[in-house]
Amino acid sequence: MHVNGKVALVTGGAQGIGRAFVQALLGKGAKVALLDRNSEAGQESKAVLDEQFEAQRTVFIQCDVTDPEQLKGAFKKVTEHFGRLDIVVNNAGVNNEKDWESTIQINLVSIISFHVFILYLMLEYT
């Protein structure tokens, strides 16, 4: 897939599979917004990525994907920072057997809500 010059948003982008998505996209020439609820991990990831790639190609935004207002704010920050949004990787997820309701909220409900929400915003933006 040709992503050179495209702008991507990756939820859960500070760690694990999300971080791997971010690195792969940057390696192919994309600009990437890392969204993660873990501020410390996000800032650390951005710092490491800035050493590997051009700093202006990444932005970290702390965001809880279960909060529609935070998602709206994150979308606005991405489009203000990069001028547009071309790719969305909805990767955020958790595995917490003790708090199964939160796990379902993040891994299922927020995925569906996020897709509907971001599609609406992308259509409205273009």
Side-chain angles (χ1 to χ4, degrees):
M1 177 173 27
H2 174 72
V3 298
N4 187 34
K6 302 283 185 183
V7 175
L9 176 155
V10 180
T11 66
Q15 305 170 77
I17 294 170
R19 170 90 175 263
F21 275 123
V22 170
Q23 288 178 300
L25 288 162
L26 288 167
K28 297 288 186 182
K31 299 172 186 173
V32 183
L34 300 85
L35 272 62
D36 207 290
R37 67 180 183 175
N38 185 332
S39 179
E40 185 178 328
Q43 291 171 8
E44 288 174 9
S45 290
K46 170 132 174 61
V48 170
L49 293 166
D50 286 353
E51 292 177 10
Q52 292 179 292
F53 305 96
E54 300 167 10
Q56 69 271 15
R57 290 181 49 210
T58 61
V59 63
F60 168 68
I61 302 167
Q62 184 176 10
C63 180
D64 181 344
V65 296
T66 65
D67 184 335
E69 288 305 311
Q70 286 188 36
L71 284 174
K72 186 175 183 178
F75 178 84
K76 184 177 180 182
K77 287 177 187 174
V78 172
T79 55
E80 286 174 355
H81 186 82
F82 291 122
R84 68 180 197 274
L85 178 60
D86 304 303
I87 302 165
V88 175
V89 179
N90 197 352
N91 168 75
V94 297
N95 184 15
N96 185 345
E97 295 172 5
K98 293 180 182 177
D99 188 2
W100 61 270
E101 290 171 319
S102 176
T103 300
I104 289 174
Q105 183 65 31
I106 292 168
N107 294 354
L108 177 63
V109 176
S110 72
I111 299 260
I112 296 166
S113 299
F114 183 78
H115 276 91
V116 170
F117 180 75
I118 207 76
L119 179 62
Y120 172 77
L121 288 177
M122 290 177 83
L123 290 171
E124 183 178 284
Y125 182 75
T126 57

